[in-house]
Amino acid sequence: MSGKATYKTFKGGIHPPYNKELASGKAIRPAPVPAEVFIPLQQHIGAPNEPLVNPGDRVELGQKVGSSEAFVSAPVHASVAGTVKEIAEVTGFTGAKVKCVVITPDAEQPEFARKDRDITALSDQEIRDIAREAGLVGMGGAAFPTHVKLTPPKDKPVDTVIINACECEPFLTCDHRVMLERPHDLVQGLKLLMRAVNAKRGIIGIEANKMDAVDAVRGAAKGEAGIEVEILEVKYPEGAEKMLIFALTGRKVPPGKLPSEVGCLVQNVGTAVALYEACAWGKPLYERVLTVTGQGIKEPANLLARVGTPISTLIEACGGFVGQPGKVIMGGPMTGWAQPDTSAPVVKGTSGIVVLTPELVDVGTEEECVRCGKCTDVCPMFLLPNFIVQAVKKGQWDRAEMWGALDCFECGCCSFTCPAYIPHVDYVRKAKAEIAALKRR
Ligand code: SF4
Ligand code: SF4
C-alpha cells in the first residue's frame, strides 16, 4: 500500500500543468476604475436586454441599465456611478459585436449602499425573484440565468445542490481565493440555493490541491444541517457538471439531459456568493472576482473587477505584459476565448485573463491520426473523438452525430493528449453547426 489518499472522481480526463501557484497566494484586491465601462446588454444565455437609459443620463452604482420581459434573460446594472456616454456596438470576448451601455465614471466612486435584509425569512419564490432582479447568472463561464436554474420542472424535484468549487481549469485561482476569504458567504449562498429548490442536501466539491480552502469552508459549514464538504481528485475537467455529479453522488445524467433529470443542481462558487450578496445586502451583480495570470503577466493577481472594464485596464493593473504576449485568453486555457486584442470588456462570466508566452502557444501543426486511441481514453463522455474528426473531414454529418458530436461539451482533453496535434474541438464545433443547419431545413 502506498498510503496515498484517493479522492472521488470520474473516468477519463487529463492532468495538464496547473500553474496555480502564480496567483493562488495573492489576496483579492480591487481593480482600478477604467476611463469608461462598456456594459454588454447581453451577457447571458437567453433573450437580449433592451437599454433602459439614454446618452446623457446620470446613473448610480448598481442601477439597472438593461432588461428584458423574457423569462430566460438577466438584467444588467451599472458598475459605476457616472454618465451614459452612448449605446454603442463593441467587439466582445467572442469576437462578435455586442450592444453596450457605455458609461463615463464619476471621478469619485461611492461604496455600494447595502440594504441589509434578514435572509432567514426569505421564501423560495422571493429568492428566485431576488436572483432575477440582481441579474445573477452562472459565473463559471456558461452565464445561464440563475433564476431559471432555480426553477426546475415540477416533475423533476431537486434533492441535492452541488457547489462546483473544483476550479479545475489551469491557472485560475479566483474561486480558491473566494473560498479562503469569504467561506461564510459561500455557505450562506449554498443555503439560499438549497431553500430556493427545497433541497435537503448541499455538497461543496473542492479539488485536493486546495486543502486550505477545504479547511476554511469546513469551518464555515460546521453545524449547518445537510451541508457536506467533499474533496475531489485533482483532474481536468473535474468541475464539468456531469463529471462532478457522478463523482459526488454516483448519479449519471443521461446524454442531452440536464442535472435536474437526476435530482441535482450545480452552481459555481461566485454565483453562490453573489446570491448571498443579493439576498443579504440587496447588491446586484455588477462586479466579480477574477484572476489575471500567466507567465506573460508581470504581477499575477486576483482582482475584484467591475463588469464592463476593458481587459487592457486589468493587464495594466497587473504590471503589463512580460515581453511580447503569445496569446491572451479570456477564461482558462482549456475552454477560454483567445483575444485578438485587449479591448473586450469583462462580463459576468469572466473568470480570468490568462496571458501565455510565445513558447507555450507553439503546439505544433496538425498531422494525420496515428490511431493511438489516446483521445478515446481521456474523453470523459466516452466518445470516439477521432471518429468524429474523420466523419467531419468527409462531410458525413449523420456519422458525426452518430459518434456523439452533439454530446461533446468541448473540454479539449482529446486535443490536449493527441500526438498528431489534431484540434478535435474545432471539428466538433463544425459538426454541431452543420447538424443544426441540417435540422433547420
Ligand atoms: S470529444 Fe469532446 S467531450 Fe470528449 S474529450 Fe474531446 S472535447 Fe472533451
Ligand atoms: S489521439 Fe490523435 S492520433 Fe491518437 S487516435 Fe486520437 S486523433 Fe488519432
Side-chain angles (χ1 to χ4, degrees):
M1 257 178 69
S2 68
K4 197 176 161 201
T6 54
Y7 300 114
K8 296 186 172 184
T9 191
F10 63 97
K11 190 170 178 305
I14 55 172
H15 297 92
Y18 285 100
N19 292 293
K20 302 268 191 186
E21 68 289 350
L22 293 172
S24 59
K26 307 288 177 68
I28 300 165
R29 63 179 168 89
V33 180
E36 283 175 344
V37 294
F38 303 82
I39 313 280
L41 283 162
Q42 178 152 27
Q43 303 181 33
H44 52 270
I45 292 173
N49 293 308
E50 289 302 320
L52 300 173
V53 290
N54 293 303
D57 285 356
R58 167 144 196 92
V59 290
E60 301 305 330
L61 177 64
Q63 180 181 327
K64 201 192 287 182
V65 294
S67 73
S68 162
E69 290 292 309
F71 179 62
V72 184
S73 189
V76 292
H77 302 78
S79 57
V80 290
T83 307
V84 177
K85 182 184 172 197
E86 58 183 340
I87 311 294
E89 296 237 308
V90 167
T91 304
F93 70 93
T94 65
K97 292 278 183 198
V98 286
K99 205 192 262 188
C100 293
V101 177
V102 185
I103 306 171
T104 307
D106 294 343
E108 292 289 320
Q109 286 297 316
E111 292 282 311
F112 178 73
R114 292 186 190 181
K115 301 162 205 73
D116 288 340
R117 175 163 41 199
D118 175 13
I119 56 172
T120 59
L122 293 173
S123 70
D124 55 350
Q125 188 57 48
E126 284 171 324
I127 295 168
R128 284 192 289 272
D129 290 345
I130 291 169
R132 178 173 187 160
E133 262 312 286
L136 296 201
V137 299
M139 291 164 72
F144 194 75
T146 302
H147 67 276
V148 181
K149 255 193 166 183
L150 293 179
T151 316
K154 288 229 171 344
D155 60 339
K156 305 239 181 322
V158 168
D159 59 31
T160 305
V161 175
I162 294 172
I163 298 294
N164 171 14
C166 294
E167 202 163 49
C168 60
E169 267 270 359
F171 288 96
L172 303 182
T173 57
C174 52
D175 287 352
H176 186 179
R177 290 310 311 182
V178 170
M179 286 190 280
L180 286 179
E181 298 181 36
R182 302 188 57 191
H184 164 271
D185 299 352
L186 170 62
V187 171
Q188 295 307 310
L190 171 56
K191 285 173 67 180
L192 288 161
L193 290 166
M194 289 163 67
R195 195 167 342 135
V197 292
N198 197 23
K200 297 285 174 277
R201 188 181 184 204
I203 313 175
I204 302 173
I206 307 174
E207 279 193 346
N209 57 358
K210 295 179 266 293
M211 294 307 283
D212 50 356
V214 170
D215 291 343
V217 177
R218 278 194 172 148
K222 202 169 176 193
E224 296 286 4
I227 294 186
E228 304 151 39
V229 179
E230 291 281 0
I231 307 171
L232 291 143
E233 185 179 323
V234 181
K235 187 165 69 169
Y236 176 85
E238 195 76 76
E241 270 190 349
K242 291 183 179 180
M243 281 76 246
L244 188 59
I245 290 170
F246 176 75
L248 290 173
T249 69
R251 301 176 193 175
K252 290 183 183 167
V253 181
K257 299 290 183 188
L258 296 170
S260 60
E261 193 71 23
V262 295
C264 291
L265 171 86
V266 181
Q267 286 286 2
N268 158 275
V269 168
T271 311
V273 172
L275 181 63
Y276 170 74
E277 291 180 345
C279 290
W281 306 343
K283 184 181 171 191
L285 178 51
Y286 64 77
E287 61 184 1
R288 64 156 298 149
V289 180
L290 51 76
T291 309
V292 182
T293 186
Q295 286 82 356
I297 278 284
K298 279 194 183 147
E299 297 156 18
N302 296 292
L303 301 176
L304 179 62
R306 294 165 197 259
V307 168
T309 303
I311 297 174
S312 54
T313 303
L314 303 179
I315 289 171
E316 219 172 284
C318 294
F321 294 130
V322 176
Q324 189 64 24
K327 198 178 196 181
V328 178
I329 305 165
M330 189 180 267
M334 298 302 295
T335 57
W337 294 77
Q339 301 297 301
D341 59 40
T342 56
S343 63
V346 164
V347 292
K348 297 172 190 176
T350 305
S351 47
I353 311 295
V354 177
V355 181
L356 301 178
T357 50
E359 317 83 78
L360 287 172
V361 177
D362 189 12
V363 291
T365 41
E366 183 175 346
E367 296 165 12
E368 278 302 306
C369 170
V370 295
R371 302 189 182 178
C372 64
K374 287 183 177 173
C375 54
T376 304
D377 292 344
V378 297
C379 178
M381 294 299 290
F382 312 116
L383 305 177
L384 299 170
N386 50 338
F387 281 42
I388 298 173
V389 170
Q390 295 309 321
V392 173
K393 281 184 172 174
K394 292 176 186 157
Q396 296 171 334
W397 311 117
D398 53 340
R399 291 185 78 79
E401 185 172 1
M402 186 184 83
W403 293 120
L406 299 183
D407 294 326
C408 166
F409 65 104
E410 303 175 15
C411 66
C413 289
C414 44
S415 313
F416 178 85
T417 200
C418 177
Y421 308 113
I422 293 172
H424 303 74
V425 173
D426 293 351
Y427 286 101
V428 166
R429 285 180 180 157
K430 187 167 171 42
K432 285 180 178 173
E434 292 289 345
I435 294 165
L438 279 172
K439 288 187 175 167
R440 279 197 299 270
R441 275 180 212 152

